[in-house]
Every structure is written in structure tokens, then in C-alpha cells.
Amino acid sequence: MKLFNDSLTMRFNTLERNIKSKTNSFYDSYLDLLEATIKYMMDENNVPYDPTRTCGHIVRTNEAKDFFKGKLLLDDYTFNKLPDYIKKCNDHKHKKEKTLQVEGVINFLKVYFDLINYYIDYIKGIRVEFDASYFTSIYGETERLNTEYKTEVLRLKDELKESYESKKLSEQDLIQYKSLLSIKDLELMSLEEQNKLLQEQINTLKDIKLNSMEEKLNKTIDMLNNMQDYLIENRIIARRTSKLIDGRDISDEELKAEREKMEAMNNGRL
């Protein structure tokens, strides 16, 4: 989602990533976003405040109250929730906040969206819709994807296990396969880093599998071609033997014509 400037949009994207990762860093990113948004609104409208003071102090000043309630016409619930949620985020920093739950995410974001929509109304812009179902759907998404990616990597490795152990892969594919980090090594990283590398592993393993299938197909085609040549020669010998039994031999020109005829038949041209 795009907000009023790139700085706020970047902060919102960080908040969204923390929702996907289901991490308590959500509270830190929410506080950072809320504080930056409040200061942005006040700066844009020349509302004085002390930049050395905390966000919780700023929203309690008369200047902030006059602006948010007097000009933006913020309702009492939303206005009172600002210092309340600021306090909850600060409490989290001191390890007093419980583990992040999706209900809390929705409540915090509803207040934030209400705040920015009051401001959008004030500047006569287009409101942004708060879609609670969207944020519910992305809650813990990083963890879910991590499980799916690991399952897919293990499945692909299992399919290639025999080819790898018997060294039936090409030299380049063997090098790529050996370079892949184990799941145990990956788990030392953050979920986001894991998912990025797991996606890369999936693509690499799929390429190796495709190369392996192409090599097997080429070998099969070569085998069939050799068999086809063998059958043609057998038919020529049988035809020549039949002629010899009848008391005559086949000339080289006749053999050539017979061979070309059989090859054309095998290739579907006759």
C-alpha cells in the first residue's frame, strides 16, 4: 500500500513483513509507523510540537488535540486509542506484551487506517479501505510458505537421490546439487532468508530434474534409432535371402532402393 510519502510506505511495508512473519517486532514497526504518520500530519499543517519528546507525549499536547479533534474531527475512540496503543507498543519493548496474535494485529491496524482516512478526508483525497480479511490471510504467511518450500525441496531431492548417488547427473548438475545448503543449515537463518534460498533451491532442483529427464529421453531415442536401423538391416537380409532362394540376387541399386523404402515407411512417409 502507498501512503503519503515513500518513508511512510517503507515503514508500512516493514509492518506488513512482520505480520507475515508473525513476529513481535510488529509492535516496534507499528510504533515507528504511527509516530512517523502523526509527525507527518502535524508537519504538513504547521502544527508545533517538540521533536525531542516521545510520540506518546506529543499526542497528549493541546496542539495535537486541537489539530486531530478540532480540524481532522477524529472521533473520541480513535483519538484515545493513539496514546493507548503507543503505550502498549512501549510496554512490549520492556517484555510486558504477550505474543503477537492476529486479533491484536487487526485492532491496531483498524485504528491506524481510521486515522489516515480522517486525514484523507481532511485533504479531500480518496479513502483507503481497511480489509481485515487480507491481514488475517497474511498473518504467519512466511511460516506457512517456509513449511511448503521445505517439503518441496525434500520431495525433489528424494526424486533425484538415485541419480545423484549413482552419479548419473551431468558434472554441472552434480556441482549444483552439492552446493545446496541442507535444511539444518538453512534453519540457522531468519524465515525470510530461508524462504528466499529455498525458492532458489526449488528452481535449481527442478532444472536438474529436467536435465536428467532430457538426458534419459535422448538415450531412449538413441536406443530406438539403433533398434530401427537393426530392424531395417534384418528386413533387407531377409528379403535378400528370399531372393537367393528363388535363384536370383539383389543388385546394389535394388538394395539401396529397398533400404530407402523401408526407412521412409519407418519414418511415416509411406
Side-chain angles (χ1 to χ4, degrees):
M1 184 178 79
K2 283 195 173 184
L3 290 174
F4 307 113
N5 60 29
D6 290 341
S7 177
L8 291 175
T9 299
M10 182 178 67
R11 285 176 165 84
F12 185 85
N13 290 339
T14 299
L15 177 78
E16 197 171 63
R17 283 196 299 272
N18 286 330
I19 296 171
K20 290 179 179 180
S21 297
K22 202 167 64 174
T23 170
N24 279 3
S25 295
F26 165 84
Y27 297 106
D28 301 304
S29 55
Y30 182 88
L31 180 60
D32 185 42
L33 174 65
L34 183 59
E35 180 173 338
T37 302
I38 288 171
K39 289 181 177 179
Y40 168 83
M41 293 175 179
M42 294 178 75
D43 286 338
E44 287 293 300
N45 293 275
N46 299 313
V47 180
Y49 65 90
D50 183 351
T52 66
R53 301 303 300 268
T54 64
C55 183
H57 173 83
I58 292 172
V59 296
R60 288 185 173 88
T61 62
N62 290 330
E63 291 83 1
K65 185 175 181 179
D66 289 342
F67 173 66
F68 287 108
K69 295 200 69 177
K71 291 188 176 180
L72 266 59
L73 305 178
L74 215 63
D75 63 88
D76 288 339
Y77 177 82
T78 303
F79 183 75
N80 292 332
K81 275 297 176 183
L82 297 180
D84 179 36
Y85 283 171
I86 290 169
K87 182 179 182 303
K88 280 184 168 61
C89 289
N90 282 321
D91 285 346
H92 161 71
K93 289 184 177 181
H94 296 93
K95 309 300 180 184
K96 295 178 183 177
E97 190 63 52
K98 295 180 180 179
T99 303
L100 182 68
Q101 299 293 331
V102 67
E103 294 81 7
V105 169
I106 300 304
N107 292 336
F108 273 66
L109 287 174
K110 178 66 168 61
V111 168
Y112 180 77
F113 271 75
D114 285 344
L115 170 64
I116 63 174
N117 276 324
Y118 271 105
Y119 187 74
I120 289 171
D121 288 343
Y122 177 70
I123 62 175
K124 295 180 171 50
I126 300 174
R127 280 183 155 236
V128 291
E129 179 185 358
F130 173 63
D131 185 358
S133 62
Y134 166 72
F135 292 105
T136 300
S137 71
I138 67 169
Y139 174 76
E141 179 183 277
T142 305
E143 190 175 44
R144 291 195 299 273
L145 286 175
N146 186 260
T147 301
E148 291 175 14
Y149 291 158
K150 285 178 180 176
T151 300
E152 180 68 359
V153 164
L154 292 173
R155 183 186 69 80
L156 288 167
K157 281 187 173 181
D158 189 57
E159 289 181 359
L160 289 166
K161 184 179 179 181
E162 182 182 349
S163 296
Y164 170 72
E165 291 179 346
S166 58
K167 296 185 178 180
K168 291 180 180 178
L169 303 177
S170 69
E171 187 65 30
Q172 182 180 353
D173 288 340
L174 276 170
I175 292 172
Q176 282 189 303
Y177 192 100
K178 290 178 181 178
S179 70
L180 299 176
L181 291 174
S182 68
I183 297 297
K184 187 176 180 180
D185 289 333
L186 286 170
E187 287 175 347
L188 298 174
M189 307 174 186
S190 70
L191 284 177
E192 285 189 1
E193 289 175 316
Q194 285 185 48
N195 286 355
K196 181 182 177 183
L197 289 173
L198 284 167
Q199 281 183 295
E200 292 175 1
Q201 286 199 8
I202 288 170
N203 291 334
T204 298
L205 288 166
K206 284 183 176 179
D207 286 342
I208 293 174
K209 181 181 176 182
L210 182 61
N211 291 340
S212 177
M213 290 172 65
E214 286 179 349
E215 186 175 346
K216 288 178 182 177
L217 180 61
N218 289 335
K219 287 181 178 178
T220 301
I221 291 172
D222 289 342
M223 184 182 69
L224 290 173
N225 286 335
N226 291 335
M227 185 178 295
Q228 180 177 313
D229 292 341
Y230 174 77
L231 290 173
I232 289 173
E233 290 304 318
N234 272 359
R235 288 172 184 170
I236 292 294
I237 291 171
R239 187 68 59 87
R240 187 170 190 176
T241 301
S242 175
K243 291 290 185 182
L244 287 171
I245 292 173
D246 291 340
R248 61 180 295 269
D249 196 359
I250 299 179
S251 67
D252 290 340
E253 290 76 13
E254 287 176 310
L255 283 173
K256 181 180 179 182
E258 190 71 22
R259 183 175 286 106
E260 288 176 351
K261 179 180 178 181
M262 290 186 178
E263 287 177 350
M265 290 176 64
N266 282 328
N267 291 329
R269 294 199 297 269
L270 289 179

